[in-house]
CSV table of all heavy atoms in Angstrom, one decimal:
chain,number,residue,atom,x,y,z
A,211,MET,N,85.5,111.7,111.6
A,211,MET,CA,84.9,110.6,110.9
A,211,MET,C,84.9,109.3,111.7
A,211,MET,O,85.9,109.0,112.4
A,211,MET,CB,85.6,110.4,109.5
A,211,MET,CG,85.4,111.5,108.6
A,211,MET,SD,83.7,111.5,107.9
A,211,MET,CE,83.7,110.0,106.9
A,212,PHE,N,83.9,108.5,111.5
A,212,PHE,CA,83.8,107.2,112.2
A,212,PHE,C,83.4,106.1,111.3
A,212,PHE,O,82.7,106.3,110.3
A,212,PHE,CB,82.7,107.3,113.4
A,212,PHE,CG,83.2,108.1,114.5
A,212,PHE,CD1,82.9,109.5,114.5
A,212,PHE,CD2,84.0,107.6,115.5
A,212,PHE,CE1,83.2,110.3,115.6
A,212,PHE,CE2,84.4,108.4,116.6
A,212,PHE,CZ,84.0,109.8,116.6
A,213,ASN,N,83.9,104.9,111.5
A,213,ASN,CA,83.3,103.7,110.9
A,213,ASN,C,82.4,103.1,111.9
A,213,ASN,O,82.6,103.1,113.1
A,213,ASN,CB,84.5,102.7,110.6
A,213,ASN,CG,85.4,103.2,109.5
A,213,ASN,OD1,84.9,103.7,108.5
A,213,ASN,ND2,86.7,103.0,109.7
A,214,ILE,N,81.3,102.5,111.3
A,214,ILE,CA,80.4,101.7,112.2
A,214,ILE,C,80.7,100.3,112.0
A,214,ILE,O,80.8,99.8,110.9
A,214,ILE,CB,79.0,102.0,111.8
A,214,ILE,CG1,78.6,103.5,111.8
A,214,ILE,CG2,78.0,101.2,112.7
A,214,ILE,CD1,78.7,104.1,113.2
A,215,CYS,N,81.0,99.6,113.1
A,215,CYS,CA,81.3,98.2,113.0
A,215,CYS,C,80.1,97.4,112.5
A,215,CYS,O,79.0,97.6,113.0
A,215,CYS,CB,81.7,97.7,114.4
A,215,CYS,SG,82.0,95.9,114.4
A,216,ALA,N,80.4,96.6,111.5
A,216,ALA,CA,79.3,95.8,110.9
A,216,ALA,C,78.8,94.7,111.8
A,216,ALA,O,77.7,94.2,111.7
A,216,ALA,CB,79.7,95.2,109.6
A,217,ASN,N,79.6,94.4,112.7
A,217,ASN,CA,79.3,93.2,113.6
A,217,ASN,C,78.5,93.7,114.9
A,217,ASN,O,77.6,93.1,115.3
A,217,ASN,CB,80.6,92.5,114.0
A,217,ASN,CG,80.3,91.2,114.8
A,217,ASN,OD1,79.5,90.4,114.3
A,217,ASN,ND2,80.9,91.1,116.0
A,218,CYS,N,79.1,94.7,115.5
A,218,CYS,CA,78.5,95.1,116.8
A,218,CYS,C,77.9,96.6,116.8
A,218,CYS,O,77.4,97.0,117.8
A,218,CYS,CB,79.5,95.0,117.9
A,218,CYS,SG,80.9,96.2,117.8
A,219,SER,N,78.0,97.3,115.6
A,219,SER,CA,77.4,98.6,115.5
A,219,SER,C,78.0,99.7,116.3
A,219,SER,O,77.4,100.7,116.5
A,219,SER,CB,75.9,98.5,115.7
A,219,SER,OG,75.3,97.7,114.7
A,220,GLN,N,79.2,99.4,116.9
A,220,GLN,CA,79.8,100.4,117.7
A,220,GLN,C,80.5,101.4,116.8
A,220,GLN,O,81.1,101.0,115.7
A,220,GLN,CB,80.9,99.7,118.6
A,220,GLN,CG,80.4,98.9,119.7
A,220,GLN,CD,79.9,99.7,120.9
A,220,GLN,OE1,80.6,100.8,121.2
A,220,GLN,NE2,78.9,99.3,121.6
A,221,GLU,N,80.6,102.7,117.1
A,221,GLU,CA,81.4,103.7,116.3
A,221,GLU,C,82.8,103.5,116.7
A,221,GLU,O,83.2,103.4,117.8
A,221,GLU,CB,80.9,105.1,116.8
A,221,GLU,CG,79.7,105.5,116.1
A,221,GLU,CD,79.5,107.0,116.3
A,221,GLU,OE1,80.2,107.7,117.1
A,221,GLU,OE2,78.5,107.6,115.7
A,222,GLN,N,83.6,103.4,115.6
A,222,GLN,CA,85.0,103.2,115.7
A,222,GLN,C,85.8,104.3,115.0
A,222,GLN,O,85.3,104.7,113.9
A,222,GLN,CB,85.4,101.9,115.2
A,222,GLN,CG,84.8,100.7,115.9
A,222,GLN,CD,85.3,100.5,117.3
A,222,GLN,OE1,86.4,100.7,117.6
A,222,GLN,NE2,84.4,100.3,118.2
A,223,SER,N,86.8,104.8,115.6
A,223,SER,CA,87.6,105.9,114.9
A,223,SER,C,88.1,105.5,113.6
A,223,SER,O,88.4,104.3,113.3
A,223,SER,CB,88.8,106.2,115.8
A,223,SER,OG,89.7,107.1,115.1
A,224,ASN,N,88.0,106.4,112.6
A,224,ASN,CA,88.3,106.2,111.2
A,224,ASN,C,89.7,105.6,111.0
A,224,ASN,O,89.9,105.0,109.9
A,224,ASN,CB,88.0,107.4,110.4
A,224,ASN,CG,87.6,107.2,109.0
A,224,ASN,OD1,87.0,106.2,108.7
A,224,ASN,ND2,88.0,108.0,108.1
A,225,ASP,N,90.6,105.8,111.9
A,225,ASP,CA,92.0,105.4,111.6
A,225,ASP,C,92.2,104.0,112.2
A,225,ASP,O,93.3,103.4,112.1
A,225,ASP,CB,93.0,106.4,112.2
A,225,ASP,CG,92.8,106.6,113.7
A,225,ASP,OD1,91.9,106.1,114.3
A,225,ASP,OD2,93.7,107.3,114.2
A,226,LEU,N,91.2,103.3,112.7
A,226,LEU,CA,91.4,102.0,113.2
A,226,LEU,C,91.0,101.0,112.1
A,226,LEU,O,90.1,101.2,111.3
A,226,LEU,CB,90.4,101.8,114.4
A,226,LEU,CG,90.8,102.5,115.7
A,226,LEU,CD1,89.7,102.3,116.7
A,226,LEU,CD2,92.1,102.2,116.2
A,227,LYS,N,91.7,99.9,112.2
A,227,LYS,CA,91.5,98.9,111.2
A,227,LYS,C,90.5,97.8,111.8
A,227,LYS,O,89.9,97.0,111.0
A,227,LYS,CB,92.8,98.2,110.7
A,227,LYS,CG,93.5,99.1,109.7
A,227,LYS,CD,94.7,98.3,109.1
A,227,LYS,CE,95.5,99.2,108.2
A,227,LYS,NZ,96.6,98.5,107.6
A,228,PHE,N,90.6,97.6,113.1
A,228,PHE,CA,89.8,96.6,113.7
A,228,PHE,C,88.9,97.2,114.8
A,228,PHE,O,89.3,98.1,115.5
A,228,PHE,CB,90.7,95.5,114.4
A,228,PHE,CG,91.4,94.7,113.3
A,228,PHE,CD1,92.7,95.2,112.9
A,228,PHE,CD2,90.9,93.6,112.8
A,228,PHE,CE1,93.4,94.4,112.0
A,228,PHE,CE2,91.6,92.8,111.9
A,228,PHE,CZ,92.9,93.3,111.4
A,229,CYS,N,87.7,96.7,114.9
A,229,CYS,CA,86.8,97.1,116.0
A,229,CYS,C,87.4,96.9,117.3
A,229,CYS,O,87.9,95.8,117.6
A,229,CYS,CB,85.5,96.4,115.9
A,229,CYS,SG,84.3,96.8,117.2
A,230,THR,N,87.4,97.9,118.2
A,230,THR,CA,88.0,97.7,119.5
A,230,THR,C,87.0,97.0,120.5
A,230,THR,O,87.4,96.7,121.6
A,230,THR,CB,88.3,99.1,120.1
A,230,THR,OG1,87.1,99.9,120.1
A,230,THR,CG2,89.4,99.8,119.3
A,231,SER,N,85.8,96.8,120.0
A,231,SER,CA,84.9,96.0,120.9
A,231,SER,C,84.8,94.6,120.6
A,231,SER,O,84.6,93.8,121.5
A,231,SER,CB,83.5,96.6,120.7
A,231,SER,OG,83.4,97.9,121.2
A,232,CYS,N,84.9,94.2,119.3
A,232,CYS,CA,84.7,92.8,118.9
A,232,CYS,C,85.8,92.3,118.0
A,232,CYS,O,85.8,91.1,117.7
A,232,CYS,CB,83.3,92.6,118.3
A,232,CYS,SG,83.3,93.3,116.6
A,233,GLY,N,86.7,93.1,117.6
A,233,GLY,CA,87.8,92.7,116.8
A,233,GLY,C,87.6,92.5,115.3
A,233,GLY,O,88.4,91.9,114.6
A,234,THR,N,86.3,92.8,114.9
A,234,THR,CA,86.0,92.7,113.4
A,234,THR,C,86.8,93.7,112.6
A,234,THR,O,87.0,94.8,113.0
A,234,THR,CB,84.5,93.0,113.2
A,234,THR,OG1,83.8,92.0,113.9
A,234,THR,CG2,84.1,93.0,111.7
A,235,LEU,N,87.3,93.2,111.4
A,235,LEU,CA,88.0,94.1,110.5
A,235,LEU,C,87.1,95.1,110.0
A,235,LEU,O,86.0,94.9,109.4
A,235,LEU,CB,88.6,93.2,109.3
A,235,LEU,CG,89.4,94.0,108.3
A,235,LEU,CD1,90.7,94.5,108.9
A,235,LEU,CD2,89.6,93.1,107.1
A,236,LEU,N,87.5,96.4,110.2
A,236,LEU,CA,86.7,97.5,109.7
A,236,LEU,C,87.0,97.9,108.3
A,236,LEU,O,86.1,98.4,107.6
A,236,LEU,CB,87.0,98.7,110.7
A,236,LEU,CG,86.6,98.5,112.2
A,236,LEU,CD1,87.1,99.7,113.0
A,236,LEU,CD2,85.1,98.4,112.3
A,237,LYS,N,88.2,97.8,107.9
A,237,LYS,CA,88.6,98.2,106.6
A,237,LYS,C,89.9,97.5,106.2
A,237,LYS,O,90.6,97.0,107.1
A,237,LYS,CB,88.8,99.7,106.4
A,237,LYS,CG,89.9,100.3,107.3
A,237,LYS,CD,89.9,101.8,107.1
A,237,LYS,CE,91.0,102.4,108.0
A,237,LYS,NZ,91.0,103.8,108.0
A,238,SER,N,90.2,97.4,105.0
A,238,SER,CA,91.4,96.7,104.6
A,238,SER,C,92.2,97.6,103.6
A,238,SER,O,91.7,98.5,103.0
A,238,SER,CB,91.0,95.4,103.9
A,238,SER,OG,90.2,95.6,102.8
A,239,CYS,N,93.5,97.3,103.5
A,239,CYS,CA,94.4,98.0,102.6
A,239,CYS,C,94.9,97.1,101.5
A,239,CYS,O,95.0,95.9,101.7
A,239,CYS,CB,95.5,98.5,103.4
A,239,CYS,SG,95.0,99.8,104.5
A,240,CYS,N,95.1,97.7,100.3
A,240,CYS,CA,95.7,96.9,99.3
A,240,CYS,C,97.0,96.3,99.6
A,240,CYS,O,97.9,97.1,100.1
A,240,CYS,CB,95.8,97.8,98.0
A,240,CYS,SG,96.6,97.0,96.6
A,241,PRO,N,97.3,95.0,99.4
A,241,PRO,CA,98.6,94.4,99.7
A,241,PRO,C,99.6,94.9,98.8
A,241,PRO,O,100.8,94.8,99.0
A,241,PRO,CB,98.3,92.9,99.6
A,241,PRO,CG,97.2,92.8,98.6
A,241,PRO,CD,96.3,94.0,98.9
A,242,GLU,N,99.2,95.5,97.7
A,242,GLU,CA,100.2,95.9,96.6
A,242,GLU,C,100.7,97.3,96.9
A,242,GLU,O,101.9,97.5,96.9
A,242,GLU,CB,99.5,95.8,95.2
A,242,GLU,CG,100.4,95.8,94.1
A,242,GLU,CD,101.3,94.5,94.0
A,242,GLU,OE1,100.8,93.5,94.5
A,242,GLU,OE2,102.4,94.6,93.5
A,243,CYS,N,99.8,98.2,97.1
A,243,CYS,CA,100.2,99.6,97.2
A,243,CYS,C,99.8,100.3,98.6
A,243,CYS,O,100.2,101.4,98.8
A,243,CYS,CB,99.5,100.4,96.1
A,243,CYS,SG,97.7,100.6,96.2
A,244,GLY,N,99.0,99.5,99.4
A,244,GLY,CA,98.7,100.1,100.7
A,244,GLY,C,97.5,101.0,100.7
A,244,GLY,O,97.1,101.6,101.7
A,245,ASN,N,96.9,101.2,99.5
A,245,ASN,CA,95.7,102.1,99.4
A,245,ASN,C,94.6,101.5,100.2
A,245,ASN,O,94.4,100.4,100.3
A,245,ASN,CB,95.3,102.2,97.9
A,245,ASN,CG,94.2,103.2,97.7
A,245,ASN,OD1,94.3,104.3,98.2
A,245,ASN,ND2,93.2,102.9,97.0
A,246,GLU,N,93.8,102.4,100.9
A,246,GLU,CA,92.7,102.0,101.6
A,246,GLU,C,91.6,101.5,100.7
A,246,GLU,O,91.2,102.1,99.7
A,246,GLU,CB,92.1,103.2,102.4
A,246,GLU,CG,91.1,102.7,103.4
A,246,GLU,CD,90.7,103.9,104.3
A,246,GLU,OE1,91.5,104.6,104.8
A,246,GLU,OE2,89.4,104.1,104.4
A,247,LEU,N,91.0,100.3,101.0
A,247,LEU,CA,90.0,99.7,100.1
A,247,LEU,C,88.6,99.8,100.7
A,247,LEU,O,88.5,99.7,101.9
A,247,LEU,CB,90.4,98.2,99.9
A,247,LEU,CG,91.8,97.9,99.4
A,247,LEU,CD1,92.0,96.4,99.4
A,247,LEU,CD2,91.8,98.4,97.9
A,248,LYS,N,87.6,99.9,99.8
A,248,LYS,CA,86.3,99.7,100.3
A,248,LYS,C,85.9,98.2,100.2
A,248,LYS,O,86.4,97.5,99.3
A,248,LYS,CB,85.3,100.6,99.5
A,248,LYS,CG,85.6,102.1,99.6
A,248,LYS,CD,84.4,102.8,99.0
A,248,LYS,CE,84.7,104.3,98.9
A,248,LYS,NZ,85.2,104.9,100.2
A,249,GLU,N,85.0,97.8,101.0
A,249,GLU,CA,84.7,96.4,101.1
A,249,GLU,C,84.2,95.8,99.8
A,249,GLU,O,84.4,94.7,99.4
A,249,GLU,CB,83.6,96.1,102.1
A,249,GLU,CG,84.2,96.0,103.5
A,249,GLU,CD,83.2,95.5,104.6
A,249,GLU,OE1,82.3,94.7,104.2
A,249,GLU,OE2,83.2,96.0,105.7
A,250,GLU,N,83.4,96.7,99.0
A,250,GLU,CA,82.7,96.2,97.8
A,250,GLU,C,83.7,96.2,96.6
A,250,GLU,O,83.4,95.6,95.6
A,250,GLU,CB,81.5,97.1,97.5
A,250,GLU,CG,81.8,98.5,97.2
A,250,GLU,CD,81.8,99.4,98.4
A,250,GLU,OE1,82.0,98.9,99.5
A,250,GLU,OE2,81.6,100.6,98.2
A,251,TRP,N,84.9,96.7,96.8
A,251,TRP,CA,85.9,96.8,95.6
A,251,TRP,C,86.4,95.4,95.4
A,251,TRP,O,86.8,94.7,96.3
A,251,TRP,CB,87.0,97.7,96.0
A,251,TRP,CG,86.7,99.1,95.9
A,251,TRP,CD1,85.4,99.7,95.8
A,251,TRP,CD2,87.6,100.3,96.1
A,251,TRP,NE1,85.5,101.1,95.8
A,251,TRP,CE2,86.8,101.4,96.0
A,251,TRP,CE3,89.0,100.3,96.3
A,251,TRP,CZ2,87.4,102.7,96.2
A,251,TRP,CZ3,89.5,101.5,96.4
A,251,TRP,CH2,88.8,102.7,96.4
A,252,GLU,N,86.4,95.0,94.1
A,252,GLU,CA,87.1,93.8,93.7
A,252,GLU,C,88.5,94.0,93.2
A,252,GLU,O,89.3,93.2,93.1
A,252,GLU,CB,86.2,93.1,92.6
A,252,GLU,CG,84.9,92.6,93.2
A,252,GLU,CD,84.2,91.6,92.2
A,252,GLU,OE1,84.8,91.0,91.4
A,252,GLU,OE2,83.0,91.6,92.3
A,253,TYR,N,88.7,95.3,92.8
A,253,TYR,CA,90.0,95.7,92.4
A,253,TYR,C,90.4,97.0,93.1
A,253,TYR,O,89.6,97.9,93.4
A,253,TYR,CB,90.0,96.0,90.8
A,253,TYR,CG,89.8,94.8,90.0
A,253,TYR,CD1,88.6,94.4,89.7
A,253,TYR,CD2,90.9,94.1,89.5
A,253,TYR,CE1,88.4,93.2,88.9
A,253,TYR,CE2,90.7,92.9,88.7
A,253,TYR,CZ,89.5,92.5,88.4
A,253,TYR,OH,89.2,91.4,87.7
A,254,CYS,N,91.7,97.1,93.4
A,254,CYS,CA,92.2,98.3,94.0
A,254,CYS,C,92.0,99.5,93.1
A,254,CYS,O,92.3,99.5,91.9
A,254,CYS,CB,93.7,98.2,94.3
A,254,CYS,SG,94.4,99.7,94.9
A,255,GLY,N,91.4,100.6,93.6
A,255,GLY,CA,91.2,101.8,92.8
A,255,GLY,C,92.4,102.6,92.5
A,255,GLY,O,92.4,103.5,91.7
A,256,SER,N,93.5,102.2,93.1
A,256,SER,CA,94.8,103.0,93.0
A,256,SER,C,95.7,102.3,92.0
A,256,SER,O,96.3,102.9,91.1
A,256,SER,CB,95.5,103.1,94.3
A,256,SER,OG,96.7,103.8,94.2
A,257,CYS,N,95.9,100.9,92.1
A,257,CYS,CA,96.8,100.2,91.3
A,257,CYS,C,96.2,99.2,90.5
A,257,CYS,O,96.9,98.5,89.6
A,257,CYS,CB,98.0,99.7,92.2
A,257,CYS,SG,97.5,98.3,93.2
A,258,GLY,N,94.9,98.8,90.7
A,258,GLY,CA,94.3,97.8,89.9
A,258,GLY,C,94.5,96.4,90.4
A,258,GLY,O,94.1,95.5,89.7
A,259,HIS,N,95.2,96.2,91.5
A,259,HIS,CA,95.4,94.9,92.0
A,259,HIS,C,94.1,94.2,92.3
A,259,HIS,O,93.2,94.8,92.9
A,259,HIS,CB,96.3,95.0,93.3
A,259,HIS,CG,96.6,93.7,93.9
A,259,HIS,ND1,97.5,92.9,93.4
A,259,HIS,CD2,96.0,93.0,95.0
A,259,HIS,CE1,97.6,91.8,94.2
A,259,HIS,NE2,96.7,91.8,95.1
A,260,LYS,N,93.9,92.9,91.8
A,260,LYS,CA,92.7,92.2,92.1
A,260,LYS,C,92.7,91.6,93.5
A,260,LYS,O,93.7,91.0,93.9
A,260,LYS,CB,92.5,91.1,91.1
A,260,LYS,CG,91.2,90.4,91.1
A,260,LYS,CD,91.0,89.4,90.1
A,260,LYS,CE,89.5,89.0,90.0
A,260,LYS,NZ,88.8,88.7,91.3
A,261,MET,N,91.6,91.8,94.2
A,261,MET,CA,91.5,91.4,95.6
A,261,MET,C,91.3,89.9,95.6
A,261,MET,O,90.5,89.3,94.7
A,261,MET,CB,90.4,92.1,96.3
A,261,MET,CG,90.6,93.6,96.4
A,261,MET,SD,92.1,94.0,97.3
A,261,MET,CE,92.9,94.9,96.0
A,262,GLY,N,91.8,89.1,96.5
A,262,GLY,CA,91.5,87.7,96.7
A,262,GLY,C,90.1,87.6,97.3
A,262,GLY,O,89.6,88.5,97.9
A,263,SER,N,89.5,86.4,97.0
A,263,SER,CA,88.2,86.2,97.5
A,263,SER,C,88.2,85.8,99.0
A,263,SER,O,89.3,85.4,99.5
A,263,SER,CB,87.5,85.1,96.8
A,263,SER,OG,88.3,84.0,96.8
B,381,ZN,ZN1,82.6,95.5,116.6
B,382,ZN,ZN1,96.6,98.9,95.2
């Protein structure tokens, strides 16, 4: 599985959090439970923690 960097469109390994080409954040984790978050989520799907803006 790969993530596509939104900034430079390079394929990045799914286990990376930051693009290795440009340093853009590829994905984020919930600060409360560490669950992997999708960018469009406003609340964590695992623990319901509200994401900061
Ligand atoms: Zn990039
Ligand atoms: Zn959470």
